[in-house]
Amino acid sequence: MERAFDDRQHDRSTEPLPHSTQLLRLLVRAIDSLASDFDVVELCQQLLEACVEVTDAADAGLLLADQRGDLQVLASTTEAPRLLELLQFEGPGLRAYRSRSPETVPDLRAAQDLWPEFAPAALAAGYRCAYAVPLRLHRESIGALTILAAPAAAHGHLGLRIGQLLADIAAIGIAHHVLLAQGGIIHAQLPTALNTRVAIEQAKGVLAERGSRDMDLAFGLMRTHARATGGRLADIAGDIVEGRVDLRADVAD
């Protein structure tokens, strides 16, 4: 799976997380909501409000793609017509949605040629910088989260990380809402997850036998290979069992 940010290139220990207590409380509340009968719009509203609070931004909006692929406003920090209209303009949110990667506009004054509608309207509303992250679901993008700030200091790598985290939670919440609306589909798909585990067990046995190692080490090697290649454990397990992947070099002494 693609990743918008590379943790290996960013030492989080040197950059303290602002408002970490508020962010942790939000995550706990969001997870509680996903485990119950929740209001998807209210969940997105709470995510946006938290996003503004922990990034010191001014406003934010969450855009969701409709059946034609056009972005529509699902939630925003204010219902002011100026913000709702601004979010619909061709801007960083649309580009983040299309590219499935973050889009940053650190200085809107320098982006008026790039975004002839969005940038002047944002400046007129008092914003000075903007950034957007995609709503990622598996390998697809289903929308975007646009964050608007007055001071340029509110824009940065950490702000993007937080925005992407909250956008991912929103995407999961939206998907969960759709699944719940389809009734028994979740229970119908549960055997698929169990079959995946069976395939993993078979692959662990193959690796353990080839390398004369225990099952824990074999599973660890599979996970390491998955992280290194970006593959899924289920696919890698099938490749090992069918002989398409050979990890014997990794299990040798």
Side-chain angles (χ1 to χ4, degrees):
M1 181 180 293
E2 298 176 10
R3 297 191 64 184
F5 306 102
D6 189 346
D7 290 341
R8 294 171 297 180
Q9 298 178 2
H10 181 69
D11 185 0
R12 287 172 289 178
S13 64
T14 63
E15 187 173 359
L17 182 64
H19 310 295
S20 56
T21 301
Q22 294 93 319
L23 183 58
L24 179 59
R25 288 174 179 171
L26 166 74
L27 296 178
V28 172
R29 188 164 62 246
I31 292 172
D32 285 343
S33 297
L34 293 175
S36 61
D37 185 12
F38 68 99
D39 183 328
V40 66
V41 175
E42 176 59 25
L43 173 64
C44 291
Q45 283 292 147
Q46 292 180 12
L47 292 172
L48 287 183
E49 291 166 1
C51 181
V52 167
E53 182 178 357
V54 300
T55 62
D56 294 325
D59 283 304
L62 194 145
L63 305 167
L64 187 64
D66 61 18
Q67 293 179 336
R68 298 177 300 178
D70 297 328
L71 294 183
Q72 307 294 337
V73 177
L74 178 64
S76 59
T77 48
T78 173
E79 295 300 310
R82 175 178 290 186
L83 176 61
L84 298 179
E85 182 179 348
L86 176 62
L87 292 171
Q88 297 280 14
F89 285 145
E90 179 102 8
L94 183 60
R95 177 169 290 187
Y97 162 65
R98 288 174 174 170
S99 67
R100 199 181 175 274
S101 61
E103 178 71 18
T104 64
V105 188
D107 186 353
L108 285 164
R109 293 170 297 181
Q112 298 188 67
D113 290 338
L114 179 62
W115 309 114
E117 288 185 308
F118 176 84
L123 288 167
Y127 308 118
R128 292 296 176 268
C129 72
Y131 48 107
V133 293
L135 266 65
R136 306 177 300 184
L137 193 62
H138 299 293
R139 298 184 182 275
E140 302 296 326
S141 174
I142 63 172
L145 168 61
T146 298
I147 304 171
L148 301 158
H155 164 81
H157 184 91
L158 185 57
L160 282 172
R161 287 183 60 83
I162 294 173
Q164 188 65 75
L165 170 65
L166 299 179
D168 288 344
I169 294 175
I172 293 171
I174 292 167
H176 188 45
H177 173 75
V178 172
L179 286 174
L180 288 177
Q182 296 179 12
I185 189 171
I186 295 177
H187 290 284
Q189 295 298 323
L190 289 179
T192 301
L194 296 175
N195 291 337
T196 297
R197 185 64 196 186
V198 170
I200 291 173
E201 290 296 323
Q202 291 175 340
K204 283 164 53 180
V206 171
L207 288 178
E209 181 179 357
R210 288 175 180 172
S212 299
R213 299 298 180 89
D214 61 34
M215 300 292 270
D216 283 340
L217 177 58
F219 188 45
L221 289 168
M222 290 175 58
R223 295 182 65 197
T224 298
H225 184 71
R227 288 193 295 267
T229 61
R232 297 186 302 175
L233 277 172
D235 296 334
I236 291 169
D239 289 340
I240 291 171
V241 172
E242 297 296 329
R244 292 187 293 270
V245 170
D246 188 351
L247 299 182
R248 280 181 292 183
D250 296 323
V251 299
D253 289 325

